[in-house]
Amino acid sequence: MTETTENKDLVQADNESTEEQTATQEVELTVEEQYEAKLAELQAKLDDEENRHLRLRADFDNLRRRTQLDREAAEKYRAQKLLSDLLPVLDNFERALQIEPTSEEAVSIVKGIEMVYRSLIEATEKEGLQVIKAEGEQFDPNVHQAVMQEQDSEKEQGVVLRELQKGYILKDRVLRPTMVSVNE
């Protein structure tokens, strides 16, 4: 072989070597890019799962809080239905006590009714039932129901003049508004 042929072979070998190195670098870059893409994809999935986990945890905490509040409200107002059903009974006792006894027998019956009425009132008060004050108070549509208007120049406008039917509150909830007559 001649020197020029050998030089050509060496140059050709160098070129092939350089091409292999370039191809290897391209493959390496491609592999690195693939890893980076895969890493970015996995990071995005991880972020999505973390967000999902945080949302689920927040939903669970909200559900637990809501359930606790519902349980507390159920305990607080457990007697609401019973007390609502007893309101007409209280009204009837009050009407019965307004009757003036005319005989000795009637007096003893009225005393018995008063004792039962007081016991019933004490039991309902222990559960948190309270009478809504009305007469002489400023009209409040949250606790009063105006069924009449009357004129009394001695009192301010919007003041309750008469209580027509008692209203009741259980703890902080109105069971029945007071029926009232309001000053014009």
Side-chain angles (χ1 to χ4, degrees):
M1 251 204 237
T2 64
E3 258 184 56
T4 46
T5 313
E6 281 180 18
N7 282 341
K8 284 183 182 178
D9 286 341
L10 282 173
V11 169
Q12 191 176 8
D14 277 345
N15 285 343
E16 287 176 4
S17 170
T18 307
E19 287 176 8
E20 285 177 13
Q21 286 177 350
T22 305
T24 306
Q25 285 177 350
E26 286 177 9
V27 169
E28 285 178 11
L29 289 176
T30 306
V31 170
E32 285 179 16
E33 289 173 353
Q34 287 176 352
Y35 282 136
E36 287 177 9
K38 186 68 171 176
L39 181 63
E41 179 185 334
L42 290 174
Q43 186 64 42
K45 281 184 180 179
L46 178 64
D47 291 344
D48 287 345
E49 288 300 318
E50 284 178 350
N51 287 337
R52 185 173 162 265
H53 172 73
L54 290 174
R55 275 188 251 109
L56 285 173
R57 185 171 182 155
D59 286 346
F60 178 73
D61 288 343
N62 289 339
L63 177 66
R64 187 174 15 160
R65 221 175 298 117
R66 204 174 319 120
T67 303
Q68 178 66 25
L69 290 174
D70 289 348
R71 228 181 295 131
E72 288 172 1
E75 176 62 27
K76 187 176 182 180
Y77 301 111
R78 71 185 187 287
Q80 180 174 345
K81 175 77 170 110
L82 175 64
L83 292 174
S84 293
D85 292 342
L86 285 177
L87 294 182
V89 175
L90 291 174
D91 293 339
N92 290 334
F93 269 113
E94 289 170 2
R95 281 188 213 102
L97 291 173
Q98 289 176 354
I99 297 172
E100 291 294 323
T102 55
S103 68
E104 201 172 298
E105 265 182 36
V107 170
S108 63
I109 291 173
V110 168
K111 281 185 182 180
I113 291 173
E114 281 178 354
M115 289 171 50
V116 173
Y117 176 71
R118 270 188 264 125
S119 297
L120 186 59
I121 290 294
E122 287 173 13
T124 59
E125 285 175 351
K126 284 180 186 176
E127 288 298 321
L129 187 71
Q130 298 174 338
V131 174
I132 298 171
K133 295 179 182 171
E135 229 171 280
E137 300 286 323
Q138 189 66 30
F139 177 77
D140 180 0
N142 297 316
V143 293
H144 300 133
Q145 180 180 359
V147 292
M148 291 176 54
Q149 285 189 335
E150 295 178 314
Q151 185 84 24
D152 186 350
S153 58
E154 295 177 9
K155 300 205 176 174
E156 293 180 33
Q157 181 180 356
V159 171
V160 174
L161 296 177
R162 287 190 301 146
E163 178 180 270
L164 305 171
Q165 182 183 38
K166 281 188 179 179
Y168 295 91
I169 293 178
L170 175 61
K171 308 223 169 142
D172 58 355
R173 207 179 262 181
V174 175
L175 285 185
R176 180 176 77 187
T178 305
M179 293 173 103
V180 295
S181 173
V182 181
N183 193 22
E184 292 181 332

